[in-house]
Amino acid sequence: LYERNSLSDIISKTAKEIFIPLTVGGGIRNIRDIKNVLRAGADKVAINTAAIKNPKFIKDASLTFGSSTIVVAIEAIKQSDGQYLAYTDNGREETGFEVVSWARRVEELGAGEIVITSVDKEGTGEGFDLKLVKMVAEAVCIPVIAHGGCSGPKDAAMIINEGWADAVAVSSVLHYKLISQINKVDENFEVEGNTSFMKSGMIYSKIKPCTIQEIKSEIKNTGIAVRF
Amino acid sequence: MSKKTVIIDYQLGNLFSVNQALKKNGLETIISSDPKDIKNADALVLPGVGAFSDAMNNLKGLGLIDLLKHSIDKGTPFLGVCLGLQMLFDKSEEFGDCEGLGIIKGVVKKFPTVNNVNKRVKVPQIAWNSIHPSGGRSWKGTPLDGVKEGEDFYFVHSFYVEPQDVNTILTKTTYGDTSYASSIFISNIFACQFHPEKSSVEGLKVYKKWAEINNLL
């Protein structure tokens, strides 16, 4: 966010114990930044702001690290005329880039994956933005990950089957369950920001907390191959 | 004295996760691009991630190509992951033809983006996918000893290897309509397209077995 990096410590700690793919996004601006987060243990990087500021960066990065290392994150906000535009700096800065043409362009430039985030839906539990995800998934030949709005297992299965997403990214639905399970917020996180909301135990009413297993089961029930 | 496994640093690959996975299994590892370390290594690991041509250029720039070929030739246990598998071959189609190490006869090809009935196939393959014995070849005595047939491993790649000699192939995997070699095993060489270091518990088992059969623990 706003070109700050603060992740390398968290990446190293995570990568030491976690043996599944790890994508890191936030403040990646140049080839050196990518090298550093990969060195810290990430497998892929997600780039948004720097890609929009300098699309050629996607090309340089994919030539250097291979397409499959470069994920482009697109943060979409629906406009009053129904058009979706890409934003930077966590949905704060508008760019005038229309989402579908930008998605096609990043594919041409060598991106290996696209994470499409609906800024409007993210964190709300109102369900994925089906129209947005489908539009992007139809437009490109690289994997598309749907993000923003998942309220539970059924949403995840729906966006794969009807939105043609290749994968889903979820956080809130899992986190609220986890917070209720561990029942405390680590004091060390105070330095990262305000934790009073987490401590309060409050949940957005539309989010139905669940586990990864529950999401996988639901997706599998709809006939999609899922690893267990 | 404990055996030393050298993870070859060609300034590109994701060395960290491979290193963690090997250390987790009790191997003593160093990450190095120093020819001396590579020469004296008890085992060599060439990890993945990166572009084929850049990786080959970096190996060349570091003066490691002949050394690497020589070490593999004289029987040093070798583990290649992803690009570390692909680089063993004669050449790759990635970003124009590019010459590989030429240790295994064959080529590296790009996945087609449509299948036999003209349906779109997403490339790269970024997914968990299953591995199956090639031509009924047994996994006994290989790093996959103890892994269930059809087990899922994590794949991230746009290119796949096509060895001339099918007997080198240990496992096959299917993506779209392409059935391809997802790992090879020839005496001291084990190399896989999937990422054991990213394949959770089953992946860690593969590294452990590799260490065991090469007496590296």
Side-chain angles (χ1 to χ4, degrees):
Chain A
L1 175 63
Y2 290 122
E3 311 205 329
R4 273 177 293 179
N5 305 337
S6 63
L7 280 168
S8 69
D9 199 37
I10 304 175
I11 302 166
S12 312
K13 280 189 197 157
T14 309
K16 222 168 239 170
E17 290 304 324
I18 304 291
F19 294 97
I20 55 170
L22 186 62
T23 304
V24 170
I28 306 278
R29 294 182 290 278
N30 51 45
I31 297 289
R32 181 190 301 238
D33 289 339
I34 298 177
K35 209 168 264 185
N36 287 342
V37 298
L38 295 182
R39 292 246 145 186
D43 301 289
K44 308 176 201 172
V45 292
I47 307 168
N48 174 24
T49 306
I52 284 182
K53 282 191 177 156
N54 172 23
K56 193 177 160 285
F57 178 41
I58 303 173
K59 189 165 195 174
D60 295 342
S62 59
L63 283 172
T64 307
F65 301 99
S67 287
S68 43
T69 306
I70 309 303
V71 182
V72 171
I74 301 179
E75 295 174 358
I77 296 182
K78 193 174 183 174
Q79 309 297 303
S80 52
D81 62 358
Q83 196 179 208
Y84 289 91
L85 295 182
Y87 280 63
T88 60
D89 295 289
N90 286 0
R92 284 165 174 81
E93 307 293 330
E94 68 170 270
T95 64
F97 280 52
E98 190 277 318
V99 166
V100 170
S101 52
W102 175 231
R104 286 208 185 98
R105 177 113 184 267
V106 307
E107 178 184 17
E108 272 169 33
L109 289 164
E113 272 174 295
I114 290 173
V115 179
I116 178 73
T117 300
S118 162
V119 176
D120 306 309
K121 302 281 185 184
E122 192 182 4
T124 65
E126 287 176 4
F128 290 100
D129 187 330
L130 176 63
K131 186 176 165 209
L132 168 70
V133 172
K134 193 169 179 179
M135 242 165 37
V136 173
E138 270 179 324
V140 297
C141 293
I142 52 177
V144 172
I145 302 162
H147 177 223
C150 185
S151 74
K154 283 210 164 21
D155 281 348
M158 185 280 289
I159 204 65
I160 292 174
N161 287 306
E162 292 169 39
W164 301 358
D166 297 279
V168 294
V170 297
S171 56
S172 296
V173 280
L174 302 175
H175 292 170
Y176 287 116
K177 180 96 170 189
L178 193 66
I179 291 169
S180 70
Q181 281 168 351
I182 54 181
N183 206 19
K184 77 177 186 41
V185 176
D186 192 327
E187 297 299 324
N188 292 329
F189 294 154
E190 299 282 351
V191 292
E192 301 289 341
N194 190 327
T195 56
S196 55
F197 181 79
M198 285 163 80
K199 283 180 183 161
S200 73
M202 275 162 60
I203 293 178
Y204 287 105
S205 60
K206 287 180 177 139
I207 294 174
K208 294 163 203 66
C210 64
T211 64
I212 294 178
Q213 290 305 328
E214 285 162 357
I215 295 176
K216 285 189 185 174
S217 298
E218 181 65 31
I219 293 172
K220 197 179 173 196
N221 286 342
T222 65
I224 307 274
V226 179
R227 165 188 166 266
F228 273 88
Chain B
M1 212 179 77
S2 61
K3 299 278 184 78
K4 204 157 267 165
T5 299
V6 177
I7 300 169
I8 300 166
D9 181 0
Y10 55 96
Q11 336 254 284
L12 272 187
N14 179 14
L15 316 151
F16 188 88
S17 54
V18 173
N19 189 32
Q20 290 304 325
L22 293 171
K23 287 213 307 222
K24 187 106 185 159
N25 279 315
L27 281 97
E28 192 178 315
T29 58
I30 48 168
I31 296 175
S32 174
S33 50
D34 184 344
K36 232 182 359 218
D37 289 331
I38 290 165
K39 208 168 162 186
N40 296 325
D42 293 302
L44 289 169
V45 178
L46 192 59
V49 185
F52 191 98
S53 53
D54 281 4
M56 282 305 297
N57 285 336
N58 286 8
L59 279 180
K60 204 178 284 172
L62 291 162
L64 298 180
I65 290 194
D66 288 335
L67 191 57
L68 194 55
K69 283 190 189 173
H70 179 73
S71 293
I72 295 175
D73 228 28
K74 72 168 196 216
T76 306
F78 174 89
L79 170 68
V81 181
C82 191
L83 202 54
L85 160 70
Q86 297 179 2
M87 283 195 286
L88 295 174
F89 285 73
D90 293 323
K91 63 173 186 178
S92 169
E93 290 177 348
E94 187 166 352
F95 303 118
D97 274 2
C98 177
E99 224 172 281
L101 292 167
I103 292 166
I104 300 173
K105 289 260 156 298
V107 292
V108 183
K109 293 180 142 180
K110 186 161 189 180
F111 278 129
T113 50
V114 287
N115 70 5
N116 295 340
V117 290
N118 235 7
K119 246 190 99 192
R120 199 171 57 169
V121 176
K122 301 258 176 146
V123 175
Q125 170 181 215
I126 301 184
W128 297 81
N129 202 342
S130 56
I131 60 168
H132 304 272
S134 171
R137 187 174 178 187
S138 165
W139 293 348
K140 227 174 165 35
T142 80
L144 298 179
D145 204 339
V147 172
K148 211 169 69 237
E149 282 181 23
E151 186 62 68
D152 284 328
F153 283 85
Y154 188 73
F155 289 83
V156 185
H157 62 126
S158 304
F159 294 81
Y160 64 96
V161 297
E162 203 173 77
Q164 267 176 24
D165 179 2
V166 293
N167 294 320
T168 59
I169 305 171
L170 184 62
T171 64
K172 296 206 96 171
T173 293
T174 302
Y175 184 65
D177 287 325
T178 310
S179 169
Y180 65 97
S182 48
S183 70
I184 57 111
F185 183 68
I186 326 159
S187 56
N188 59 316
I189 303 173
F190 171 68
C192 47
Q193 185 59 64
F194 49 88
H195 291 263
E197 74 282 1
K198 289 290 143 195
S199 300
S200 195
V201 182
E202 291 303 313
L204 291 177
K205 271 203 310 213
V206 174
Y207 285 156
K208 177 149 205 215
K209 199 45 117 185
W210 176 73
E212 280 171 11
I213 62 176
N214 290 301
N215 295 315
L216 298 171
L217 294 173

